Amino acid sequence: MGILETCAWLEASSLGTKITESEWMFPTIETVHVLALTLVVGTIAMVDLRLLGVSARRIGAVQLSREMLPWTWIAFLIAAITGTLMFVSAATKYYANVPFRIKMVLLALAGLNMVVLHFGAWRRVSNWDMVFPAPGAVRTAAGLSLAFWIGVVVAGRWIGFV
């Protein structure tokens, strides 16, 4: 079974049909998705801005990350679940939607950027935790992170207009 056939199967599933036919399910799921994504982007932006040396200069990067990341991961899980539910309701439409594809690529790039940071410069965070400015690799990762997540938001808004 190919991707398009899988998308058609998802749409025709009882869950996909229920979401599509309900007057309230999709708007509710979308609202929760937007709120969760707002929390994801907001908490990530707080950490990224700290890493860039723009804000929260009195708190270490490690402490701020420890305070923000649990919220980030909970909100990301909620956003992923609600995003999947929205996808199931119109999978063939989303699959063909260029802004949706752009959003998915940007999400993957944001994840890859995070992995590179955490397996790279973050391993030596004790050397630069309270140092301003942070090392160039850290600032680059933070700037890329902000750009990717802003792109996710823009592409996400764009999806409904295409």
Side-chain angles (χ1 to χ4, degrees), residues 49-50 52-60 129-134:
L49 291 172
R50 163 56 184 83
L52 287 168
V54 174
S55 68
R57 295 183 79 156
R58 294 184 187 142
I59 186 170
D129 189 29
M130 292 297 293
V131 173
F132 294 99

Side-chain angles (χ1 to χ4, degrees), residues 23 108 123 154 158:
E23 287 186 29
R123 296 176 119 187
V154 170
W158 189 18

Side-chain angles (χ1 to χ4, degrees), residues 126-140:
S126 60
N127 296 340
W128 55 263
D129 189 29
M130 292 297 293
V131 173
F132 294 99
V138 174
R139 291 190 315 256
T140 300

Side-chain angles (χ1 to χ4, degrees), residues 7-22 25-26 84-91:
C7 289
W9 176 81
L10 285 170
E11 276 183 38
S13 70
S14 60
L15 179 60
T17 303
K18 182 173 259 181
I19 294 169
T20 301
E21 292 177 354
S22 172
M25 283 184 77
F26 189 90
T84 300
L85 290 172
M86 289 190 304
F87 180 81
V88 166
S89 74

Side-chain angles (χ1 to χ4, degrees), residues 92-110:
T92 56
K93 178 180 133 191
Y94 287 122
Y95 177 72
N97 186 292
V98 172
F100 174 79
R101 290 181 177 203
I102 291 169
K103 180 179 178 179
M104 294 301 106
V105 167
L106 290 169
L107 277 169
L109 289 171

Side-chain angles (χ1 to χ4, degrees), residues 12-159:
S13 70
S14 60
L15 179 60
T17 303
K18 182 173 259 181
I19 294 169
T20 301
E21 292 177 354
S22 172
E23 287 186 29
W24 62 270
M25 283 184 77
F26 189 90
T28 302
I29 292 166
E30 185 177 30
T31 300
V32 173
H33 183 73
V34 168
L35 292 172
L37 191 58
T38 301
L39 187 56
V40 169
V41 174
T43 56
I44 288 172
M46 289 174 69
V47 174
D48 287 341
L49 291 172
R50 163 56 184 83
L51 296 177
L52 287 168
V54 174
S55 68
R57 295 183 79 156
R58 294 184 187 142
I59 186 170
V62 171
Q63 181 183 346
L64 184 61
S65 292
R66 284 187 183 143
E67 291 175 9
M68 291 297 111
L69 289 181
W71 295 104
T72 306
W73 283 113
I74 291 167
F76 183 81
L77 179 63
I78 293 168
I81 291 168
T82 54
T84 300
L85 290 172
M86 289 190 304
F87 180 81
V88 166
S89 74
T92 56
K93 178 180 133 191
Y94 287 122
Y95 177 72
N97 186 292
V98 172
F100 174 79
R101 290 181 177 203
I102 291 169
K103 180 179 178 179
M104 294 301 106
V105 167
L106 290 169
L107 277 169
L109 289 171
L112 179 62
N113 184 57
M114 178 187 68
V115 167
V116 169
L117 172 66
H118 284 276
F119 284 106
W122 198 264
R123 296 176 119 187
R124 295 174 302 284
V125 69
S126 60
N127 296 340
W128 55 263
D129 189 29
M130 292 297 293
V131 173
F132 294 99
V138 174
R139 291 190 315 256
T140 300
L144 285 171
S145 175
L146 283 172
F148 292 146
W149 284 105
I150 289 168
V152 166
V153 170
V154 170
R157 288 300 304 135
W158 189 18
I159 289 170

